[in-house]
Amino acid sequence: MGDIRKSRQWAIDTAKDDTHGYSQAVRWSPDYDCSSFIISALEAGGFKMKYYGATYTGNMPQALTLCGFKRVYGVNLTTGVGLHDCDILLNPATHTEMYIGDGYTVGAHYSENRNKYGAAGDQTGNEISIEAYRNKNYTQVWRYVEPITEDEKIDAAAKAVINGDYGCTPEREKRLAREGYNPTQVQKRVNELLKGGYT
């Protein structure tokens, strides 16, 4: 399980450190291209992107999925409305960055020559940088979904039982068991919720 906030902080810190620039020749540190930058940021947060085969924008979607990210629909990519802090912006054919909130993204853009290769480090202050959001032909948005704990799962099941979603016993117990719950634990939580005034 990763920590997306650590990934975000790594990306911001690296963007502010001019010893890191843009290069597709030396792309896994100290310099980065767009995909190696985002993959490295996620690795810094504990997401095993490389383990799951991420090496460039084209194979990032599979690795993101295996690391617990979900593709998000309904975001207005023209304006950025609907983006959340730490969302990964991606066009598998061309580019990727991270949205860091308040209308800003962080990413590796281009070398000082505005091409794929450049001198080591950030020669312009903009090779890897934070900038106002603009749509760079993104086609996908990926969002990390924090896994819920076992207690949270039981709590959700207990509330569903109270709402009548599981029917009556004995069918309720069979359904809970089929879905991987311990019916006794769920019933215990139901009793606690009802005793506490949950309706």
Side-chain angles (χ1 to χ4, degrees), residues 57-132:
T57 53
N59 56 25
M60 284 178 65
Q62 178 181 346
L64 286 164
T65 300
L66 293 169
C67 286
F69 288 76
K70 303 286 183 199
R71 188 166 171 190
V72 178
Y73 298 89
V75 171
N76 184 328
L77 289 169
T78 301
T79 63
V81 171
L83 287 170
H84 289 195
D85 198 6
C86 303
D87 280 351
I88 304 300
L89 300 156
L90 178 65
N91 180 326
T94 59
H95 192 61
T96 185
E97 294 193 16
M98 179 185 282
Y99 184 74
I100 57 170
D102 297 323
Y104 289 91
T105 60
V106 62
H109 311 294
Y110 40 74
S111 75
E112 72 276 11
N113 304 315
R114 298 187 74 82
N115 62 21
K116 298 177 181 180
Y117 312 106
D122 194 334
Q123 308 304 305
T124 65
N126 293 315
E127 294 181 36
I128 299 176
S129 64
I130 296 166
E131 62 181 23

Side-chain angles (χ1 to χ4, degrees), residues 133-179:
Y133 174 81
R134 62 189 171 91
N135 185 8
K136 297 180 179 178
N137 297 314
Y138 301 121
T139 57
Q140 300 176 7
V141 176
W142 291 83
R143 186 171 296 154
Y144 181 59
V145 180
E146 297 279 353
I148 64 172
T149 67
E150 194 61 32
D151 285 346
E152 288 170 326
K153 288 179 187 175
I154 291 170
D155 196 63
K159 288 175 180 175
V161 166
I162 293 168
N163 292 337
D165 298 345
Y166 281 90
C168 299
T169 302
E171 183 57 33
R172 175 194 306 155
E173 292 181 354
K174 289 178 187 173
R175 277 193 61 200
L176 286 166
R178 272 197 310 269
E179 293 180 20

